[in-house]
Amino acid sequence: MRVRFWGVRGSVPYATSASIGHGCNTPCIEIVDETSGRLLVLDAGSGIVGLGEQIAAADSGGRELPILLTHYHWDHVQGLPFFAPLYRQGVAPTVWAPALGRTFADLETMFEAPFFPVPYDRLPSRPVISMVAAGETVINGFEIGVQRLNHPGGAFAYRIRGAGGVLVYATDHEFGDTAIDTQLAAFATGASAVIMDAHFTPDELTTHKGWGHGDWSQCAQFASACNAGHLWLFHHKPGRTDEALQAIEAQARQLFPATDAAGEGDSFTV
C-alpha cells in the first residue's frame, strides 16, 4: 500500500509563513493498493480538496472512491463539499460514516443555505452512505479493523491490512482511559506504521485535559511499547511552526528513533 498525506493539521486550516513547510490543511490521507490500483481515503478535512482535484484530472469517473471518516468533527469533514468528484457524472463516492450516535444525514446540512451554495440533492454524484462500526469490515478490498478511541463525541481508529504489512491510523485520541488505551495497544501491536495524534506538547497537554488529543511523547512511548515499525506524528496544532515540528520530531526520536512529523505530500509504502 502506498500512503500519502494530503492534510496533517488538526482543528482548522491555518497558514503562516513559518508553518507552510509541513502544510496547513486538515486531515486527509490517500491509500492506494499498488497492485490493483484500489483506493481508500481516510477523512475529509480540507486536504481532500487537493486529492479531489487530482482524481478528477486523472480518472474518467469509473473508479471506486471510498471515503472512511474517523468521526464528524469539522476538521475531518470540512473539505467534503469541495471534493471535485461530487460534481461530475460517474461512480458516486461512498462515504463510510462511523456509527457514533449520529448519521451522515446530519452532515447534509453542510450543503444547505446559508452555509453552502450547492444543495446536497443537486450534486451530480451524491455520495452513497454506509455505516461502519467497531469490529472488522472490508472496504473496496481493504481489510480493516475498527477500534473506538477516547475523544469527545467518539472517534474510530483503523487498522488496515496490506500485502506487505499493517497501517494503524489513530488520530484524535486522548490517553487516560485505561480500558480504551489497553485495547488500542493490542490493536496497534506489531503494526508496520502508526499515524497518531500529537496535537499538543507535554506541557500544553496539562491545560487541555478532556480535549481528546495526545502529545508527541505519549505517541513515541506508545509506538515503542507496541513494537511498531514506524511512527508518524499527525494532527499538528494549527500554526505550529516548521521549526517547532522539527524540534518535536528530534525529541520524539530520542524515545522512538523511527519517527517523522508528517507533512503534506509525504508518502511511504506499507
Side-chain angles (χ1 to χ4, degrees):
M1 300 184 296
R2 178 176 55 80
V3 183
R4 180 178 177 182
F5 295 99
W6 286 87
V8 299
R9 296 280 174 177
S11 300
V12 65
Y14 176 52
T16 72
S17 59
S19 62
I20 199 70
H22 281 79
C24 303
N25 283 304
T26 56
C28 180
I29 295 173
E30 173 193 20
I31 301 175
V32 177
D33 183 295
E34 294 189 306
T35 300
S36 66
R38 289 179 287 105
L39 172 69
L40 178 66
V41 180
L42 300 177
D43 276 326
S46 63
I48 203 172
V49 179
L51 173 57
E53 294 294 335
Q54 175 180 281
I55 291 172
D59 291 355
S60 62
R63 189 183 192 189
E64 294 290 334
L65 299 177
I67 301 169
L68 178 58
L69 303 178
T70 56
H71 61 305
Y72 298 103
H73 283 169
W74 185 238
D75 51 334
H76 293 256
V77 301
Q78 63 194 170
L80 190 60
F82 303 92
F83 187 53
L86 297 178
Y87 299 92
R88 65 173 187 180
Q89 296 293 338
V91 176
T94 300
V95 173
W96 290 83
L100 296 168
R102 305 300 291 265
T103 68
F104 183 81
D106 297 313
L107 289 183
E108 292 181 19
T109 58
M110 297 168 60
F111 295 85
E112 294 178 0
F115 306 113
F116 198 70
V118 182
Y120 182 78
D121 60 6
R122 294 187 183 178
L123 294 173
S125 293
R126 288 193 300 278
V128 177
I129 310 305
S130 295
M131 303 301 294
V132 62
E136 301 285 332
T137 190
V138 176
I139 298 175
N140 200 22
F142 291 91
E143 298 179 6
I144 301 172
V146 185
Q147 166 69 45
R148 184 176 290 272
L149 296 173
N150 182 27
H151 191 68
F156 283 155
Y158 298 116
R159 181 181 175 97
I160 303 161
R161 299 169 183 83
V166 171
L167 169 69
V168 170
Y169 179 49
T171 188
D172 291 67
H173 175 65
E174 181 171 346
F175 289 96
D177 184 307
T178 301
I180 294 179
D181 289 347
T182 300
Q183 293 168 358
L184 182 61
F187 189 74
T189 294
S192 306
V194 292
I195 300 171
M196 299 201 70
D197 184 323
H199 192 95
F200 294 119
T201 66
D203 288 342
E204 291 168 343
L205 190 60
T206 61
T207 57
H208 292 85
K209 297 294 185 183
W211 285 46
H213 301 291
D215 70 56
W216 60 263
S217 176
Q218 293 173 321
C219 294
Q221 294 177 61
F222 179 88
S224 179
C226 291
N227 195 30
H230 202 96
L231 168 64
W232 290 89
L233 303 176
F234 186 74
H235 206 278
H236 308 310
K237 186 178 179 181
R240 180 91 69 196
T241 67
D242 296 318
E243 182 179 5
L245 285 172
Q246 289 165 0
I248 286 171
E249 181 181 79
Q251 290 175 290
R253 285 176 175 174
Q254 294 179 21
L255 298 177
F256 187 72
T259 299
D260 283 292
E264 284 183 35
D266 285 348
S267 64
F268 61 94
T269 299
V270 176

